[in-house]
Amino acid sequence: MTIRYPNGKIYNNVTHNTPVKNHTYSNRGMSLEEELNETNAYYTEHSIACIHKKPVPIQIVKVDYPQRSAAVIKEAYFKQPSTTDYNGVYKGRYIDFEAKETQNKTSFPLQNIHPHQIQHIKQVLAHDGIAFFIIKFAHHDETYFLKGQDIVQFWTRHEEGGRKSITKQEIELCGHRIQSGLHPRIDYIRILDMLYFS
Amino acid sequence: MTIRYPNGKIYNNVTHNTPVKNHTYSNRGMSLEEELNETNAYYTEHSIACIHKKPVPIQIVKVDYPQRSAAVIKEAYFKQPSTTDYNGVYKGRYIDFEAKETQNKTSFPLQNIHPHQIQHIKQVLAHDGIAFFIIKFAHHDETYFLKGQDIVQFWTRHEEGGRKSITKQEIELCGHRIQSGLHPRIDYIRILDMLYFS
């Protein structure tokens, strides 16, 4: 089932709308968003960090008030997100990231990123926040941490006429592989510790 | 027009659904949310801070795909927010706050706050983030900054059998009046500078 933005672009993050299908401890069938939600819940429960996914932005057009109880939204549309998906606090620092999953085997297409998300990452970095991407190559079941600065650089290369994607090899070189585990599933805080708090 | 949560509780933040009524430079008729949106836009434009309102959390039940273009949400409900309304970064630090407007003249009723918002504020403080409330007494047109630590303390007093509200006098004593201006309207960063960055 394909959901599209008003401009026709496909909306990829529909897992908020579908129940979690997989309750076993296998990673198979779990989307990156589900894995990150479990990871963030783990960080919260263990008082490690306080990081949450933001709600999906919705443009509400029509609301019905059938009784004196709950209001029902009868017409609404998905809005293009103007920031990134996740933010929160770790050791006092502001943490901000976007998570993207690709079926592509050899590169991460930059069309997965909206220009205003790059703007947002630049702003976060300008205010000394920690911004990054978590990129999952679904086919290889490999997840990488890529600094906001690197994303901005690859984006600029594209704007200046360079390639429209980041090769997997570039991500392997510039980024950091995040090992999958059970608790937590995607322990990106370990990378943060190494890069910013050691 | 009253919007209610499924549990019957009144939903107060409907300004996302209504167009800005007032385009003059008068504060009259502007809701606290509108004033804060303008303030945050000012901070972003002037590279002062990067702070945004989170989207309103919605539970989507039914989505229609009328053509190959935009998806239409046909049934959805307002969800109780599990965190606060605003967060972002200022000088590297994590900033997190909730904004509340009251028509009450002499006190701020604690029933305006959800218990999980207090939980969230405690977590933010535990991770060394900066958490606070912005409380506007609409009748007096006075806006106050109240530290998260103080909100938690007044909440605890209530839990231990004390009064169900914070008196305006207590807010005047513990909090800090935010002067209204034109650019920005509610300059809460000035209070942050005084309390945390001086």
Side-chain angles (χ1 to χ4, degrees):
Chain A
M1 217 158 49
T2 307
I3 295 185
R4 284 167 196 273
Y5 284 108
N7 66 2
K9 206 163 184 315
I10 290 168
Y11 173 79
N12 288 316
N13 288 326
V14 265
T15 45
H16 62 276
N17 197 14
T18 49
V20 178
K21 290 159 205 145
N22 195 330
H23 284 287
T24 72
Y25 287 104
S26 153
N27 272 336
R28 291 186 181 281
M30 219 186 210
S31 74
L32 179 59
E33 184 180 328
E34 286 160 357
E35 291 183 289
L36 284 168
N37 287 347
E38 280 205 13
T39 301
N40 290 334
Y42 178 92
Y43 290 153
T44 300
E45 279 158 28
H46 292 76
S47 298
I48 294 166
C50 178
I51 296 164
H52 294 278
K53 184 174 190 299
K54 290 176 215 165
V56 177
I58 304 282
Q59 180 66 51
I60 298 168
V61 174
K62 193 178 155 209
V63 183
D64 265 15
Y65 309 88
Q67 308 136 10
R68 295 200 63 206
S69 57
V72 190
I73 298 161
K74 287 299 213 179
E75 186 186 349
Y77 299 89
F78 294 98
K79 280 202 292 190
Q80 203 77 257
S82 62
T83 63
T84 45
D85 274 355
Y86 300 83
N87 70 0
V89 57
Y90 177 56
K91 293 183 179 169
R93 295 287 300 276
Y94 176 72
I95 306 299
D96 190 298
F97 69 95
E98 181 70 23
K100 293 287 186 193
E101 200 163 353
T102 181
Q103 299 299 325
N104 204 303
K105 290 176 195 174
T106 55
S107 70
F108 175 73
L110 288 169
Q111 65 185 14
N112 281 326
I113 310 176
H114 309 297
H116 37 254
Q117 290 183 319
I118 296 290
Q119 270 315 105
H120 177 71
I121 283 188
K122 284 180 182 172
Q123 283 164 12
V124 168
L125 294 172
H127 294 292
D128 205 20
I130 296 174
F132 55 94
F133 264 60
I134 291 178
I135 296 172
K136 181 174 176 176
F137 287 94
H139 179 80
H140 305 282
D141 196 18
E142 290 177 13
T143 306
Y144 291 88
F145 177 108
L146 195 59
K147 275 186 168 187
Q149 288 89 338
D150 292 324
I151 289 282
V152 169
Q153 222 160 6
F154 287 120
W155 184 269
T156 307
R157 176 177 73 179
H158 166 46
E159 279 184 331
E160 289 170 352
R163 52 179 303 140
K164 290 176 198 162
S165 65
I166 314 173
T167 67
K168 184 164 181 289
Q169 201 178 20
E170 286 170 331
I171 290 174
E172 285 164 11
L173 283 167
C174 298
H176 302 271
R177 175 94 185 264
I178 312 175
Q179 295 299 335
S180 296
L182 287 188
H183 307 292
R185 291 198 174 267
I186 301 183
D187 195 3
Y188 62 87
I189 289 278
R190 195 181 290 190
I191 312 286
L192 290 179
D193 273 334
M194 184 183 75
L195 293 174
Y196 302 95
F197 299 95
S198 60
Chain B
M1 218 159 47
T2 307
I3 296 184
R4 283 166 196 273
Y5 285 109
N7 66 2
K9 207 163 182 317
I10 289 168
Y11 173 78
N12 287 317
N13 287 326
V14 268
T15 44
H16 62 276
N17 195 14
T18 49
V20 178
K21 290 158 207 145
N22 196 329
H23 285 285
T24 72
Y25 288 101
S26 153
N27 272 336
R28 292 189 180 278
M30 222 189 209
S31 74
L32 179 58
E33 183 180 329
E34 287 160 356
E35 291 182 289
L36 284 168
N37 288 347
E38 280 205 13
T39 301
N40 290 334
Y42 178 93
Y43 289 153
T44 300
E45 280 158 28
H46 292 75
S47 299
I48 294 165
C50 177
I51 296 163
H52 294 279
K53 185 174 189 299
K54 289 178 216 164
V56 177
I58 304 282
Q59 180 67 50
I60 298 168
V61 175
K62 194 178 154 207
V63 183
D64 264 15
Y65 308 87
Q67 309 137 10
R68 297 200 62 207
S69 58
V72 190
I73 298 161
K74 286 298 212 179
E75 185 185 350
Y77 298 89
F78 293 98
K79 280 201 293 190
Q80 203 77 256
S82 62
T83 62
T84 44
D85 274 355
Y86 300 84
N87 69 1
V89 57
Y90 177 57
K91 294 184 179 170
R93 296 287 300 276
Y94 176 74
I95 306 299
D96 190 298
F97 69 95
E98 180 71 22
K100 294 286 186 194
E101 200 162 353
T102 181
Q103 299 299 325
N104 205 302
K105 290 175 195 173
T106 55
S107 69
F108 174 73
L110 288 170
Q111 66 185 13
N112 281 327
I113 310 176
H114 310 297
H116 37 254
Q117 291 183 318
I118 296 291
Q119 270 315 106
H120 177 72
I121 283 187
K122 284 180 182 172
Q123 282 164 13
V124 169
L125 294 173
H127 295 291
D128 205 20
I130 296 173
F132 55 94
F133 265 59
I134 291 179
I135 296 172
K136 180 174 177 176
F137 287 94
H139 180 79
H140 305 282
D141 196 19
E142 290 177 15
T143 306
Y144 291 89
F145 177 108
L146 196 58
K147 275 187 168 186
Q149 288 88 340
D150 292 325
I151 289 282
V152 170
Q153 221 160 8
F154 287 120
W155 184 269
T156 307
R157 176 177 75 179
H158 166 46
E159 279 185 329
E160 289 170 351
R163 52 179 302 140
K164 292 176 198 162
S165 65
I166 314 173
T167 67
K168 183 163 181 289
Q169 201 178 19
E170 286 170 332
I171 291 173
E172 285 164 13
L173 283 167
C174 299
H176 302 271
R177 174 94 185 263
I178 312 174
Q179 295 299 335
S180 296
L182 288 187
H183 307 292
R185 291 200 173 266
I186 300 182
D187 195 3
Y188 61 87
I189 289 276
R190 195 181 289 191
I191 312 286
L192 290 179
D193 273 335
M194 185 182 73
L195 294 174
Y196 302 97
F197 300 95
S198 61

